[in-house]
Amino acid sequence: MSRRRVPVPAQSKIVILDFGSQYTQVIARRVRECRVYSEILPHTTTADELATGGAAGIILSGGPASVYAKGAPRVDRGIYRLGVPVLGICYGMQLLARDLGGAVEPSVEREYGSGRLTVTRKSPLFAGLPRGLDVWNSHGDRVTKLPAGFVSVGATENSKAAAIADTRRGFYGLQFHPEVSHTPRGSEIIENFVLGICGCRPDWTPGSFIERACAEIRAQVGEDRVVLGLSGGVDSSVAAALLHKAIGRQLTCIFVDNGLLRAGEREWVREIFGRHFHIDLKIIDASARFLGKLRGVTDPERKRKIIGQEFIRVFEAAAASLARRRKGRPCRFLAQGTLYPDVIESVPIAGNPASLIKSHHNVGGLPKRMKFELVEPLRQLFKDEVREVGLQLGLPREIVHRQPFPGPGLAVRILGEVTRARVRVLQAADEIVQAEMVSSGWYDRVWQSFAVLLPVRSVGVMGDERTFENTVALRVVESRDGMTADWVRLPYELLAKLSGRIINEVRGVNRVCYDVSSKPPATIEWE
């Protein structure tokens, strides 16, 4: 029986055009917090493409360039004729002003860091807000001449036009950054733009997402079979539950033991998904294959690409085996738990190839030739949204609130060559970290906590004997969505216990360090 295709309902959407700002992803998060769907697109996106996509409003992000510099990024000026509101932030405001006939010049006194905005004229952008606002600045230019139709609605000490508006056309500009936490009431400014000025409906909810995602999955898959790589982590688990709701027994989950997993992970996944949720689950031991391919490899990007390629090859073989056994249609689709931050970090910002942060095995690490078409039902979501969807789907809290675990597994937490012996050392250290974080009550208070095995050996003394053993680094961070993160100030007593247990119980380790770097400039994972 053919599956009836249900039309996917329209939803409100705000598009952010990216000019390379480090805060672009934060803008997208703030819009999502208004329960409105946001999407980041390159600044080269045309007005026709935006019109087809049905954006209710457009935000021009900040960026490191100066609008008057040679080769500075531009925008298709046709966006100003689409009839939708536009908000320019920092560089975006300067570009908006310049494009519409204003003037931008270098500021004699640059503004970096905290500042004070005075609202000088009533504006829907500041509805419900006080006349004085603490704001965060990061700019060296300023608008010196307003375009026709614009008025200044806010000023700082060094700029009489720190906030500008053309209410008739729905065009607004902010010289400061309302999206960052250093602008305490900036989220309310963005909400005023999204809900008040653009008239968006707050319809981006877990329930609405599930309804849309299921309709899209059914439309894409039809009657074909889908295989999903189930790791036991939050992303793949929620993807499995969503796909199972959408297509039922057309889904087969394949758990690949690549030899790079946490201790006991295979048994845990078998118990939860195979026996408890009754999802069609196939377990494959490919540890020797993966470790063999990684022998002698030390470059992080090569590790990720090798692991991504091997995953696909293992899946292709498993899918072919399933088709032969069941004498049915071959598995045409591969499902992945790709998230929006994976997509963002794997794509160069503003068309600059040098801005690539890293390849994710399920985004940039896939081979160009493979026998599957991809199904990525979570690629619109940030991590906290994935957790909300998981709870809505009925997954237990122990799965939904698991800390993130990288797709390439422990390979990106072992700096240098990955060997079976080094994996065992890190598995033992990681098991201690997880146990102590849970027993101390800190596990649910942080974003991620894990151990990293360094390619560093140092001298120590154990049992009155000289040792020359490995070093383990501890990484514990707090974050909302993984886009930015800060290191956690764990109690000294807990750090001492972690260090003591690892050195005493993990053979081959005689030194433990604590990572006190934030993201940016560091990343959460070490590779």
Side-chain angles (χ1 to χ4, degrees), residues 19-33:
F19 292 91
S21 170
Q22 61 181 318
Y23 303 129
T24 300
Q25 297 83 6
V26 184
I27 300 172
R29 285 292 304 120
R30 296 294 175 260
V31 175
R32 298 277 183 97
E33 288 167 4

Side-chain angles (χ1 to χ4, degrees), residues 339-359:
L339 305 190
Y340 203 31
D342 298 337
V343 176
I344 293 167
E345 290 191 344
S346 298
V347 176
I349 297 173
N352 176 13
S355 66
L356 173 69
I357 298 172
K358 59 188 174 183
S359 294

